[in-house]
């Protein structure tokens, strides 16, 4: 979201770009955490009252959601020639207003489409807990509490701020060092930006905070714009830290930095004593759902959905970045809703295979979520460590390498029927002998150059391969391990004498070393048949596999 937001044109209104970024990042964070207490206190100003109806959610009363410019009144009272003052949301023929019945005018189109997506993905009932952007915008616009009240309520927790409250070095030297490394930059920033004289403490009664420092923080909060103050309030509540909220609003730290800092002590305890089921796993495991790099999968799926929209509702949005925001949000939410249901259905299984199917997107008036289908089944994760086996070169490149569409399922069937029963996968190549990828995997070859150096090769996306999520992670793992990798040229069958190792990758297998690659007589190009064997797994593959584990662990934290 960060790069998307920065690329959007600004409207000229006094809303810092950083606040909008915080809103979108906070939305993504909030949707992932699924912490009941956090969700209850997330919005100072909710989108519904505490009535009986709010317990189950208001019945959805609209069928279509739109975004349009919100013109300002001119001196003549005419709206037709007035300049745009922002963007507003439409629900059918109605214009959405804030809970206080104020015009819900959003400063940027990106934020408007984000909130529109929240309203659009609602089911039969409206659930305010799934609408964090709406809550943040409503809080900023309505200001249900005065700036002074917000400031006073917030600074009351400064003495228990985790940035200030540290463990004694003699009690836990390792945790002390972690807190020092992570927390000190936040403390230094607060001191420099606000002129505070804050000191750390290991007392169970909290850190001493002078009245002068409290007044400075209050003055700082009151001086923020309503949008900045709304973001500040929610960040301080979620991180339980005023100092971290200062770092977030000032733009000195990313949301990922704040999340890491807010969990230093708990993560340390998990490392020491293990994860408590039903507690830590809700806070951590559900954040990333333990699906291999969910964000990357969602990014690629959203690209597929946007690129495949021709005469549908999304194609009418004039900005690709706006469509990307909507599609990305919908896909992510559907996956996050499906995972817990799959766990309930299949129980405690070693792995869960999740298949996301994007259908032809809906036209106006249709259920906007029906084009995303989620299928799940138990998966034996031991497949990921079964090295060896043979991949056979048989077929031509796929017609549409950017996505796994239904035509590809039919096109590849004859290749699957041609393959021997012991085939790990069928490899695709060009008539020039460029080996591209497998039917369901990406291919990597370890090549020994004339200099004796080992270089990893995989076909470039431009050659017609699927830009798989695991492919990107393996490239990152090679760079992390200092192993040269070429993804601008294709491995070619004319250089098999230089091939030393080979492995396949996808999100289920992770990295699977090949024992052999064979070109059969029934290949579609009439290439001369041959076989080439490899050590399983080779030394380079083992290093990459270890580095890949590091990269994946980093992505899931």
């Amino acid at each position: 979201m960060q790069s998307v937001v920065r690329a959007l044109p600004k409207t000229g209104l006094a809303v810092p770009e950083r606040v909008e970024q915080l809103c979108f990042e906070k939305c993504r964070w909030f949707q992932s955490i699924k912490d009941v207490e956090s969700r209850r206190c997330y919005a100072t100003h909710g989108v519904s009252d505490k009535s009986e109806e709010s317990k189950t959610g208001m019945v959805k009363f609209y069928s279509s959601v739109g975004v349009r410019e919100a013109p300002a009144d001119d001196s003549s009272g005419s709206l037709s020639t007035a300049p745009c003052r922002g963007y507003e949301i439409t629900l059918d023929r109605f214009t959405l207003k804030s809970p206080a019945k104020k015009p819900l005018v959003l400063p940027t189109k990106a934020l408007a489409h984000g909130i529109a997506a929240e309203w659009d993905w609602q089911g039969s009932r409206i659930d305010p807990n799934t609408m964090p952007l709406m809550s943040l915008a409503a809080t900023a616009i309505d200001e249900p509490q005065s700036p002074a009240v917000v400031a006073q309520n917030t600074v009351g927790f400064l003495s228990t701020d985790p940035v200030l409250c540290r463990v004694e070095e003699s009690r836990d030297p390792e945790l002390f060092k972690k807190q020092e490394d992570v927390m000190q930059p936040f403390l230094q920033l607060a001191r420099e930006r606000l002129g505070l004289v804050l000191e750390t403490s290991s007392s169970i009664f909290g850190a001493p905070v002078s009245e002068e420092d409290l007044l400075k923080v209050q003055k700082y909060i009151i001086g923020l714009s309503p949008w900045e103050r709304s973001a500040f309030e929610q960040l301080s509540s979620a991180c339980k830290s005023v100092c971290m909220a200062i770092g977030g609003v000032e733009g000195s730290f990313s949301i990922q930095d704040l999340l890491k800092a807010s969990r230093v002590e708990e993560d340390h305890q998990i490392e020491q004593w293990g994860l408590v089921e039903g507690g830590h796993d809700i806070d951590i495991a559900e954040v990333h759902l333990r699906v291999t790099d969910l964000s990357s999968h969602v990014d690629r799926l959203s690209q597929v959905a946007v690129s495949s929209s021709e005469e549908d509702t999304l194609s009418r949005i004039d900005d690709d970045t706006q469509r990307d925001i909507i599609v990305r949000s919908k896909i992510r939410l559907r996956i996050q809703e499906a995972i817990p249901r799959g766990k309930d259905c299949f129980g405690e299984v070693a792995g869960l295979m999740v298949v996301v199917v994007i259908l032809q997107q809906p036209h106006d008036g249709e259920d906007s979520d029906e084009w995303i289908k989620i299928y799940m089944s138990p998966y034996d994760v031991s497949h990921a460590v079964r090295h060896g086996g043979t991949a056979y070169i048989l077929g031509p490149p796929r017609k549409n390498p950017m996505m796994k569409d239904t035509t590809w399922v039919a096109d590849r069937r004859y290749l699957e029927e041609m393959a021997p029963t012991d085939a790990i996968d069928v490899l695709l190549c060009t008539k020039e002998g460029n080996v591209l990828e497998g039917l369901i995997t990406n291919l990597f070859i370890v090549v020994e150059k004339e200099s004796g150096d080992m270089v990893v090769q995989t076909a470039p996306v431009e050659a017609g391969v699927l830009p798989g999520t695991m492919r990107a992670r393996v490239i990152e793992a090679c760079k992390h391990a200092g192993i040269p990798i070429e993804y601008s040229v294709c491995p070619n069958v004319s250089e098999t004498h230089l091939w030393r190792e080979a492995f396949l990758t996808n999100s289920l297998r992770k990295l699977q070393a090949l024992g052999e690659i064979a070109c059969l007589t029934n290949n579609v190009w009439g290439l001369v048949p041959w076989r080439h064997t490899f050590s399983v797994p080779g030394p380079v593959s083992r290093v990459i596999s270890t580095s890949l584990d590091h990269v994946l662990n980093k992505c899931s934290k």
Side-chain angles (χ1 to χ4, degrees):
M1 290 293 185
Q2 179 176 341
S3 60
V4 172
V5 172
R6 286 182 175 174
L8 294 174
K10 306 307 291 181
T11 61
L13 299 182
V15 177
E17 179 179 301
R18 178 63 183 171
V19 175
E20 184 179 321
Q21 176 191 340
L22 286 171
C23 286
F24 278 108
E25 292 282 359
K26 182 69 177 178
C27 174
R28 181 172 63 183
W29 183 9
F30 172 80
Q31 290 171 351
S32 300
I33 292 178
K34 297 182 180 295
D35 182 280
V36 175
E37 182 180 357
S38 295
R39 292 200 293 183
R40 285 177 177 169
C41 69
Y42 183 82
T44 300
H45 195 32
V47 296
S48 63
D49 296 328
K50 294 181 179 179
S51 61
E52 283 296 314
E53 189 175 44
S54 68
K55 293 180 180 180
T56 56
M58 180 188 300
V59 175
K60 186 177 180 179
F61 58 88
Y62 55 92
S63 59
S64 63
V65 182
V67 174
R68 67 186 181 191
E69 292 185 353
D73 293 317
D74 61 15
S75 57
S76 65
S78 172
L79 297 178
S80 59
T81 60
C84 172
R85 62 189 175 105
Y87 300 86
E88 57 188 15
I89 313 297
T90 60
L91 306 177
D92 293 339
R93 59 188 178 87
F94 301 101
T95 301
L96 183 63
K97 292 187 177 181
S98 73
K101 307 303 180 184
K102 294 181 180 179
L104 192 77
V105 178
L106 290 314
T108 65
K109 189 183 290 186
L111 184 57
H113 277 291
I115 295 176
E118 291 181 340
W119 285 92
D120 194 29
W121 69 43
Q122 298 299 309
S124 59
R125 289 184 176 273
I126 300 172
D127 183 3
N129 288 330
T130 63
M131 308 174 77
L133 288 182
M134 177 64 192
S135 292
L136 282 170
T139 302
I141 291 173
D142 288 346
E143 292 193 87
Q145 294 181 324
S146 68
V149 171
V150 173
Q152 184 176 3
N153 291 341
T154 302
V155 299
F157 300 99
L158 187 58
S159 63
T160 57
D161 195 306
V163 171
L164 304 180
C165 298
R166 313 279 182 85
V167 69
E168 291 183 4
E169 185 175 10
S170 59
R171 289 184 57 192
D172 193 332
E174 186 178 353
L175 177 57
F176 177 83
K177 180 65 165 56
K178 290 179 180 179
Q179 290 178 327
E180 183 75 15
D181 292 342
V182 175
M183 302 301 186
Q184 201 61 28
F186 290 98
L187 179 57
Q188 188 65 28
L189 177 71
R191 288 170 174 171
E192 293 176 355
R193 296 293 175 88
L194 277 66
L196 304 178
V197 191
L198 296 174
E199 298 295 337
T200 62
S201 172
S202 58
S203 170
I204 61 173
F205 299 105
V209 181
S210 66
E211 285 295 327
E212 184 179 359
D213 279 350
L214 290 176
L215 291 175
K216 287 181 179 179
V217 175
Q218 284 182 299
K219 183 178 179 181
Y220 171 80
I221 296 173
I222 293 173
L224 296 174
S225 72
W227 291 92
E228 289 173 320
R229 191 161 46 250
S230 178
F232 183 95
E233 185 181 6
Q234 309 315 322
L235 286 175
S236 62
S237 174
C239 297
K240 299 179 177 61
S241 170
V242 174
C243 293
M244 292 182 196
I246 293 173
V249 171
E250 289 292 316
S252 301
F253 300 92
S254 68
I255 293 297
Q256 288 74 24
D257 294 332
L258 302 181
L259 178 59
K260 177 183 177 182
S262 68
R263 297 192 55 85
V264 167
E265 183 173 357
E266 188 169 357
D267 287 343
H268 175 75
Q269 298 301 333
I270 291 173
E271 291 176 4
Q272 298 295 315
W273 307 106
L275 182 141
V276 177
E277 293 186 4
H280 295 144
D281 53 348
I282 292 176
D283 292 334
I284 303 172
E286 290 297 327
V287 173
H288 300 283
L289 303 175
R290 290 303 177 184
V291 178
T292 305
D293 203 354
L294 174 60
S295 296
S296 296
H297 284 290
V298 172
D299 289 346
R300 188 164 63 81
L301 287 169
S302 66
Q303 293 170 4
V304 169
V306 170
S307 64
S308 63
S309 60
E310 296 177 355
E311 297 182 356
D312 52 44
T313 305
L314 288 175
S315 66
R316 302 186 188 120
I317 300 175
D318 56 2
D319 193 323
D320 285 344
T321 57
Q322 314 305 328
R323 278 183 284 176
D324 183 67
I325 290 171
I326 295 174
V327 173
R328 189 191 308 264
S329 299
K330 287 179 178 289
I331 294 174
R332 177 181 293 273
L333 184 66
R334 291 300 296 273
I335 294 175
Q336 291 176 333
E337 290 175 339
I339 295 293
R341 297 175 187 173
K343 291 180 179 178
D344 292 340
C345 179
F346 299 112
E348 293 297 327
V349 294
L352 194 65
M353 180 169 64
V354 181
V355 178
V356 181
V357 178
I358 299 177
L359 307 177
Q360 182 177 1
Q361 294 175 13
H363 296 277
D364 290 337
E366 297 181 11
D367 188 340
S368 60
D369 279 349
E370 285 302 309
W371 53 277
I372 306 173
K373 301 292 184 181
I374 309 291
Y375 301 91
M376 289 177 288
S377 65
Y379 179 71
D380 182 4
V381 294
S382 62
H383 286 305
V385 296
R386 291 176 183 169
H387 299 299
T390 304
Y392 294 90
I393 294 178
L394 289 175
R398 64 174 78 204
K399 297 176 182 177
N400 187 358
M402 292 307 297
M403 64 182 75
K404 300 173 183 176
D405 57 6
T406 52
T407 58
W408 171 237
V409 176
D411 290 345
R412 78 187 195 194
R413 184 170 299 140
Y414 82 97
L415 294 173
E416 294 171 334
E417 294 173 350
M418 290 169 55
T421 56
D422 66 338
I424 296 297
D425 200 1
V426 172
L427 300 180
L428 309 177
C429 73
T430 66
K431 61 181 179 181
E432 293 80 19
N434 290 328
V435 187
L436 304 180
E437 60 181 344
L439 296 180
I440 57 173
T441 60
N442 286 111
L443 172 69
F444 291 80
I445 303 290
V446 179
V447 178
E448 183 177 2
K449 296 292 188 178
E450 293 182 358
S451 62
D453 296 332
M454 296 293 184
V455 177
V456 179
Q457 288 185 348
T458 189
V461 172
E462 296 76 14
V465 302
L466 185 75
T469 301
M470 192 57 65
R471 174 183 181 273
R473 293 293 165 248
V474 170
I475 292 174
E476 183 179 350
C478 288
K479 294 178 180 179
H480 178 267
I483 297 175
I485 181 165
E486 296 177 350
Y487 43 93
S488 59
V489 294
C490 299
N492 192 278
V493 297
S494 65
E495 298 179 339
T496 55
H497 62 286
L498 299 176
W499 294 3
R500 297 296 177 261
E501 303 173 35
F503 57 87
L504 303 173
T505 65
N506 66 20
S507 294
L508 294 179
R509 303 184 189 188
K510 202 164 65 171
L511 186 152
Q512 185 175 29
L514 286 173
E516 183 181 49
I517 293 179
C519 182
L520 300 181
T521 55
N522 59 344
N523 69 84
V524 296
W525 300 120
L527 300 174
V528 176
W530 51 267
R531 287 178 178 269
H532 192 83
T533 59
F534 308 97
S535 58
V536 181
V540 177
S541 299
R542 285 197 296 269
V543 172
I544 295 173
S545 181
T546 301
S547 179
L548 179 60
D549 288 338
H550 172 81
V551 170
L552 295 177
N553 287 333
K554 181 180 68 174
C555 291
S556 65
K557 290 182 178 180

